[in-house]
Amino acid sequence: MADRFLRWGDWLEERLGWRAAQELIDHKVVPIHRHSLWYYFGGMTLFLFITQVVTGILLLLYYRPSADAAFESVQFIMTEVQFGWLIRSIHSWSANLMIAAAFIHMFSTLFLRSFQRPRELTWVSGALLLFLSLAFGFSGYLLPWNKLAFFATKVGTDIAGVVPLIGPFLLRFLRGGDEVTGATLTRFFGFHVAILPAAATMLLSLHLYLVQKHGMSTPPSIDPGSTPKMKFVPHFLLRDLVGWLAALTVLATLAALYPWELGEKADPFAPAPAGIKPEWYFVFMFQTLKYIPSKILGIDGEILGILFFGLLGLLLVITPFISPPEQRPGRLRLLPVIGVASLLYIAILSVLAYMN
Ligand code: HEM
């Protein structure tokens, strides 16, 4: 079996001059140790991203991006188009699972210190991909033009409007005016199906190129010399495939048992529904803003909260350049402490938000 793949590598190289494919097939290996499980999550995020692209293109066949027609076109997809409900539900569930997988992948590469030299740019491109994934989620949420999405977008863009200096510009840029209207919907559609996919494709190509160039890292606690290695093609790839099939099963089950709701059509003149919340991946930030006092040392509390999260985002991107070096066993290790504290913070604030 392995020989057959090796011959494919030679074939691709000879016919297409595709050295990268031959390199990958012939030389890529994955270290096998007690933390190897975490190597699967990058591939899992990739699989879910591809699922998003395929189901998103199918939805585009019927979706219409205007305030008059968006809700009705999604209703049509859910009720009239064959398997339309399934495609829409898979797209919505897979968006959530992809963001969850990207978070797991990020925390695992953080704890295993995979971002260390020479993989700093792999981390930076990954962190930017995470932000793009959140932007995909935020822009896609509005597209069905239902009540919940309308008000969540109003609240989200209001928060963007509070950013010091550029806030008012940012708000008008996102909304296409002062209010959330059909212009906002058309704009979010443009972000969701053109700008974000183009940016994500470029960043993802860089990310995967760097993964291939540097090979898989071995965590500092593992001795790379005495760690057995598994060939990526076909052995690790086949294991990846099993994971992807499992993800597809979970997606199909969720989509079939819990089809994604559509709700009521957005009505800009209706009062906002009580207890409006953003998607789960934004909830911890939203809840933090609720707890911050309205004034701290005379400065608007919401502005401070937004600046705080902006700073955290920046620190996340530059983690490889500021993280303390690995410390000797027995000493307090700063990075795992920060990682665990962040995870606990996200979990506790999200639970508090849902309990309210
Ligand atoms: C759309 C989002 C993403 C996709 C599709 C993706 C995909 C991948 C894939 C396929 C790998 C190789 C397999 C693995 O190590 O798991 C990988 C490795 C890596 N990724 Fe990502 N990734 C994404 C987001 C991120 C994020 C958010 C970060 C961190 C901020 C990140 C940092 C890394 C690093 C440091 C490696 C190298 C791991 C090693 O060599 O051991 N990635 N990524």
Side-chain angles (χ1 to χ4, degrees), residues 28 38-43 45-46 49 98 102 105-106 109 114-115 119 122-123 126-127 129-130 133 204 207-208 211 215-218 316:
K28 189 175 169 80
W38 304 109
Y39 292 136
Y40 289 100
F41 281 90
T45 316
L46 182 62
F49 178 76
M98 178 185 138
H105 176 52
M106 182 196 86
T109 50
S114 318
F115 56 77
R119 295 181 182 77
T122 318
W123 172 276
L129 275 169
L130 182 71
S133 309
L204 192 55
H207 194 67
L208 297 180
V211 169
M216 303 305 296
S217 69
T218 313
L316 181 79

